[in-house]
Amino acid sequence: MNSVVLTTVARLLVGVMLLFSLFLLWRGHNEPGGGFIGGLVAAAAFVVYTLATSPREARALLHADPGLVAVIGLAIATASGLLSALAGKAFLSGLWVFLGASETSKGLALGTPLIFDLGVYLAVVGGVAAMVLALEESES
Amino acid sequence: MSWLPVACLLTPLLTAVAVFGSPRNRKLRGLLSIGGAVVLLLLAIWQLMRVSSAGALVVQPGGWKAPFGITLVADNLAAMLVLATAAIAVAITSFALHDIDEFRAEAGFDGFVHVVLTGVVGAFLTGDVFNLYVWFEVMLIGSFALMTLGAGKRQLDGAVKYIALNLVSTVLMLTAIGLLHGLAGTLNLADLHQVMAARENDSLALVVGALFLVAFGIKAAIFPVFSWLPASYHTVPITVSALFAALMTKVGIYALLRIGTLVFGMELASAASLMMALAVLTLLMGVAGALAETSLRRLAAWQVMISVGFLLLGVALGTPAGLAAALFYFVHGMLAKAALLLIIGLGERVGMAERLAESGGVAQLKPWLAAAYLFTALSLAGIPPTAGFWAKLAFVEAGLGADAGTAGTVLIVALVVASLLGLLPLMRIWNEAFCKPSPAGFAPAAPGQVPIHTPSASIFALVSLVGVSALIGIWPTLLHSLAEAAAVGISTPAEYVQVVLGIKPEAGS
């Protein structure tokens, strides 16, 4: 798209949107948010960038093939569910590590659901990016 | 806690991941796909053996107990259908190896086949209505990709019809699920059974039931919402047609059966005459379509609709014997439909044209293909000693049962009429495509000329389908006892509910 306003703002906007998507991903840990919605926001950032520049530059931004990103995300999400087998628990059970836990506070809770969310995040970003790029590239 | 249902679900998913992540090599991807299907087959056999010896397997992923978590349940019915799906998967993926062109393979065709399989297996195994919707979506995403991949204009025309009607169905299903949740406050099937059993004569429940009937009816291509089926199956590669013909409509019937018996046990009984009418109309429409059709692949699509009609007959009868007959036919139909489509796929290389009138000479060029067709056609028509005969015998026995009543008579009449009329289009394919002299360009190989080669993987695919079908014909007892166990399981849901919710059976009852 040939618009000076869009191309100028896009550079700023894309960074803010990507940061916000990571914030949503992290926040989804205990509050509304998560990998899916975070992934969608990141994908929206990617779409803005594609419209403001060109599909070729958008591909360069992503560095990897979007389809591959989606597949890696799917693999990470599945693997996070299988980790619970090692602990002898049911499929997709959450396994947790509490960093710096004391008697009064739980500390920083890290667990397999975060890995699962990360997988979903990548799958959504990759999937949407692949679809948008396919549409944009077939147009030009 | 067993990992078997989880393993059955993850095998196609991980195979899809492996295919998409592997180098864009047609052979490598095809072999990965076949490997995944074989693993699924072995797991499914193991699962069915466990389920028939030790009862239903229940998995509560994440350790969230039902009804709060999403439960996976492998009961007799689910385990049997997962096995049938796996068997189809092995044949289809083997056939795809030589049927799918370079372009489609590089775009991830084999991966999307396994995405569809993940959805189908998930739909069979889930014990939660919303999760069922999610698996339908997974299946649809895969099937949309298969439908449009490498799309020429003609293929897109079929795909648009398929996608449009399926989206309508999905929206209706989602609406019904939303209403059901508002009504019952739960979406776990076993829990729903208990909640809904306490609400008799609830008109809102009837509305929800009707919405589900239309939604699954579209998926299953029931009269009068069947028009997408003959309009879309003939435009895609034959591997896709075979996969869809064997699995897609059957998942709709399965969902109808599962939700109908578990959630709407009461309402379904009062809707039995409506279901019977729909079954007969579906059957007659399928037969009429097949009789009037001049295009070979569309004729095969009408055959799929005929089998949906037969299945519905058993479901509408609703007696354990009727359900057992329907489930026997379910598996037989999957094998026979896939075999029929693969025969057409192979036949198109040696003289079958899209228009039946322009086909010919296949029997002369490939006698073994003619033999496979004759066997499959006899099985579809229900001539002894094929699997189709035993299926139809089971239907007649169910129709004569003391608990069948007038519905039983309707069933037998519809069955006989549809079987006799259904024989005509099958015989027409035999006369036109196999026995007539070859059309120009497909003349029988002159001495010294190289005959058209058929790859061994494709032959394996066809032989395995026809072989399993023949085994069922020779030894129907095994499948019959499995179908009976599954039918008893769904017509008396108390056991299912107990296993899922972890309730101890009361002493004495």
Side-chain angles (χ1 to χ4, degrees), chain B residues 37-38 40-42 44 81-91 117 121 247:
Chain B
V38 170
L40 178 63
L41 180 68
L42 296 177
L81 296 183
V82 169
L83 177 56
T85 306
I88 298 286
V90 172
L117 290 173
V121 171
L247 298 179

Side-chain angles (χ1 to χ4, degrees), chain A residues 65 67-68 71-72 74-75 78-79 81-82 84-85 89-94, chain B residues 1 3 6 9-10 13-14 16-18 20-21 24 59-63 72:
Chain A
D65 175 47
L68 194 63
V71 168
I72 291 173
L74 209 55
T78 317
L82 289 174
S84 55
K89 289 188 176 174
F91 177 57
L92 281 173
S93 293
Chain B
M1 155 80 202
W3 278 82
V6 177
L9 198 52
L10 288 185
L13 182 66
L14 289 176
V17 168
F20 287 128
R24 292 174 178 245
V59 183
Q60 318 276 13
L72 298 179

Side-chain angles (χ1 to χ4, degrees), chain B residues 95-480:
Chain B
F95 195 82
L97 198 60
H98 294 283
D99 183 54
I100 294 308
D101 52 62
E102 202 86 17
F103 172 77
R104 286 198 171 88
E106 285 186 3
F109 180 90
D110 301 289
F112 287 118
V113 167
H114 280 271
V115 171
V116 170
L117 290 173
T118 310
V120 173
V121 171
F124 286 151
L125 287 177
T126 188
D128 182 279
V129 186
F130 189 77
N131 198 231
L132 180 70
Y133 161 78
V134 173
W135 292 122
F136 266 109
E137 285 287 281
V138 171
M139 197 168 78
L140 284 182
I141 290 172
S143 67
F144 290 171
L146 289 180
M147 274 249 150
T148 49
L149 209 59
K153 244 186 194 148
R154 203 171 87 92
Q155 190 178 334
L156 270 185
D157 173 62
V160 165
K161 287 171 190 154
Y162 173 82
I163 290 171
L165 260 163
N166 268 289
L167 280 180
V168 171
S169 150
T170 305
V171 169
L172 286 177
M173 181 178 172
L174 198 56
T175 314
I177 292 173
L179 284 172
L180 189 61
H181 187 255
L183 202 65
T186 176
L187 288 175
N188 180 289
L189 279 171
D191 201 27
L192 271 173
H193 176 72
Q194 292 191 320
V195 175
M196 296 301 280
R199 304 174 69 107
E200 279 181 59
N201 298 324
D202 190 322
S203 50
L204 196 55
L206 210 61
V207 172
V208 177
L211 274 176
F212 272 123
L213 179 62
V214 178
F216 296 141
I218 294 177
K219 304 257 182 225
I222 292 173
F223 184 89
V225 281
F226 61 89
S227 53
W228 62 270
L229 179 75
S232 59
Y233 273 21
H234 65 292
T235 56
V236 288
I238 201 79
T239 311
V240 181
S241 297
L243 182 73
F244 287 9
L247 298 179
M248 287 307 191
T249 51
K250 306 294 188 294
V251 182
I253 294 278
Y254 167 82
L256 200 62
L257 196 56
R258 184 66 98 189
I259 306 251
T261 51
L262 271 178
V263 182
F264 299 101
M266 299 296 294
E267 279 80 0
L268 195 70
S270 58
S273 48
L274 171 71
M275 294 283 285
M276 188 54 97
L278 288 178
V280 172
L281 285 171
T282 308
L283 202 51
L284 294 182
M285 194 66 221
V287 171
L291 280 172
E293 192 55 67
T294 53
S295 143
L296 191 59
R297 286 202 188 187
R298 288 175 65 108
L299 212 162
W302 290 111
Q303 288 291 334
V304 172
M305 198 174 149
I306 294 177
S307 78
V308 169
F310 279 129
L311 281 175
L312 262 190
L313 277 182
V315 175
L317 191 65
T319 61
L323 291 174
L327 293 174
F328 190 99
Y329 190 88
F330 203 113
V331 176
H332 149 70
M334 281 166 98
L335 294 166
K337 293 290 141 38
L340 179 66
L341 266 301
L342 294 193
I343 289 167
I344 293 177
L346 289 174
E348 279 173 351
R349 297 174 198 174
V350 289
M352 281 189 196
E354 173 167 343
R355 292 181 56 78
L356 206 46
E358 292 161 12
S359 315
V362 177
Q364 208 176 353
L365 279 176
K366 299 274 176 204
W368 56 269
L369 195 60
Y373 174 76
L374 198 61
F375 179 82
T376 307
L378 290 180
S379 188
L380 283 170
I383 310 287
T386 57
F389 167 71
W390 299 109
K392 287 186 180 165
L393 187 67
F395 271 121
V396 172
E397 275 177 342
L400 291 174
D403 46 359
T406 356
T409 322
V410 176
L411 181 143
I412 295 175
V413 172
L415 184 88
V416 171
V417 170
S419 297
L420 286 177
L421 290 177
L423 195 57
L424 291 175
L426 292 170
M427 285 299 114
R428 207 170 80 226
I429 298 183
W430 174 252
N431 287 338
E432 295 271 356
F434 286 93
C435 297
K436 224 168 52 178
S438 291
F442 286 108
Q449 199 182 335
V450 188
I452 298 161
H453 171 69
T454 312
S456 49
S458 312
I459 297 178
F460 163 77
L462 181 58
V463 167
S464 61
L465 286 175
V466 174
V468 172
S469 192
L471 275 181
I472 293 173
I474 296 166
W475 191 42
T477 332
L478 177 65
L479 180 59
H480 203 81

